Amino acid sequence: MSNERLRAAMAGRGWTYADLALRVEVDPKTVERWVNLGRTPRRAAALRAAEALGDDVHALWPALRQPRAARAVSPDLVTLYAQRSDVPVSVYVDLLAKARQQIDVLVYAAVFLHEAYPRLNDLLRERAADGCAVRIALGDAESLQVKQRGREEKFGHGIEPRCRLALMHYRPLVGVPGIELRTHGTTLYNSLYRTDGEVLVNAHVWGVNAYGAPVWHLRRSGERGMFDTYTESFAAVWETAWPVEG
């Protein structure tokens, strides 16, 4: 089956197989197979092609949206996503909505949550009003670690304003009973989205933007498992973080 969406995207730019191949750094025959045979490229090549075409990678290749099944090497492991962009926003929202005791978020910015779900602050207020303790730790835009991450991910100074934007999104929650907001300057090895006994871990890979790095969904199955490892990591960072004043 041919890939008509890809064919149309290329036609819209007046590109041949060779034109797209040059930008993606593959053989023109490879692009031809993507179009005429409906082949799905490797994720890295698909991302480069989508960026070059100005199109959505999952619209061009829907198969890349499906999370791959993970071999259960840990009883805590629920699902493994090849990259953060594969995780539906509904997964984050559903986890937050069912939290009853604890919500912990450790990120540098993660502004995609507010952008994809504008009611995020309202949801956090609702959870706090029902007795759920909410802790949000954002990256300090002035910290050396944030600036270094920008260089490593080839983001330049882009990550610093995103940290400031994230703080702007969450600042209305300062002073809300049950919600604490802090900034941190740690080297962020993983972004964490924890609710009660579950956590989404966005692993960070050198030179890769967070949306392109893997995410594993963990559920606590017992003491000293993977879930506990990450929640203890959050606690350690939280102790070093600075409260955001109103």
Side-chain angles (χ1 to χ4, degrees):
M1 181 182 296
S2 62
N3 187 330
E4 295 306 317
R5 175 65 179 253
L6 178 58
R7 191 192 305 277
M10 292 174 58
R13 289 183 174 270
W15 286 0
T16 65
Y17 301 138
D19 292 328
L20 182 58
L22 179 64
R23 289 163 174 81
V24 184
E25 300 178 356
V26 297
D27 189 275
K29 291 184 178 179
T30 298
V31 176
E32 183 178 0
R33 287 192 288 270
W34 294 350
V35 175
N36 293 330
L37 301 180
R39 299 281 176 83
T40 299
R42 294 183 181 274
R43 191 172 299 275
L47 288 170
R48 290 196 298 270
E51 182 178 4
L53 291 165
D55 208 333
D56 178 63
V57 67
H58 295 126
L60 292 169
W61 292 287
L64 292 176
R65 189 182 297 277
Q66 302 302 320
R68 297 179 181 179
R71 181 174 297 173
V73 295
S74 167
D76 286 8
L77 183 60
V78 178
T79 307
L80 173 62
Y81 298 90
Q83 57 183 22
R84 193 189 71 193
S85 59
D86 290 336
V87 186
V89 173
S90 60
V91 171
Y92 297 93
V93 175
D94 290 346
L95 282 178
L96 294 170
K98 70 181 182 181
R100 293 296 178 267
Q101 297 177 324
Q102 189 73 47
I103 292 174
D104 292 332
V105 177
L106 172 62
V107 296
Y108 272 162
V111 293
F112 75 94
L113 280 178
H114 277 98
E115 292 170 348
Y117 188 68
R119 286 198 68 255
L120 181 61
N121 282 4
D122 293 334
L123 177 56
L124 294 175
R125 288 190 187 95
E126 292 166 6
R127 293 293 85 236
D130 286 342
C132 189
V134 179
R135 299 184 294 181
I136 310 291
L138 305 174
D140 176 6
E142 303 304 322
S143 69
L144 295 176
Q145 289 77 11
V146 166
K147 295 176 181 178
Q148 179 66 27
R149 176 59 58 81
R151 290 191 292 270
E152 291 171 354
E153 293 185 357
K154 302 179 179 63
F155 220 147
H157 295 290
I159 193 170
E160 296 154 41
R162 292 180 74 81
C163 288
R164 296 188 183 97
L165 179 59
L167 183 58
M168 183 187 75
H169 281 311
Y170 284 107
R171 188 175 285 279
L173 299 177
V174 173
V176 175
I179 299 180
E180 293 184 79
L181 179 62
R182 298 185 182 183
T183 58
H184 68 96
T186 64
T187 300
L188 192 63
Y189 298 105
N190 302 280
S191 294
L192 305 177
Y193 309 86
R194 178 263 180 106
T195 67
D196 294 342
E198 298 185 60
V199 61
L200 294 171
V201 180
N202 184 191
H204 293 299
V205 180
W206 197 96
V208 177
N209 294 127
Y211 66 79
V215 171
W216 40 91
H217 179 178
L218 304 177
R219 182 177 295 124
R220 191 173 192 269
S221 63
E223 293 185 0
R224 309 311 309 161
M226 292 176 68
F227 176 87
D228 286 350
T229 297
Y230 287 109
T231 55
E232 289 171 8
S233 173
F234 177 93
V237 173
W238 187 255
E239 290 302 313
T240 72
W242 308 281
V244 175
E245 303 297 335

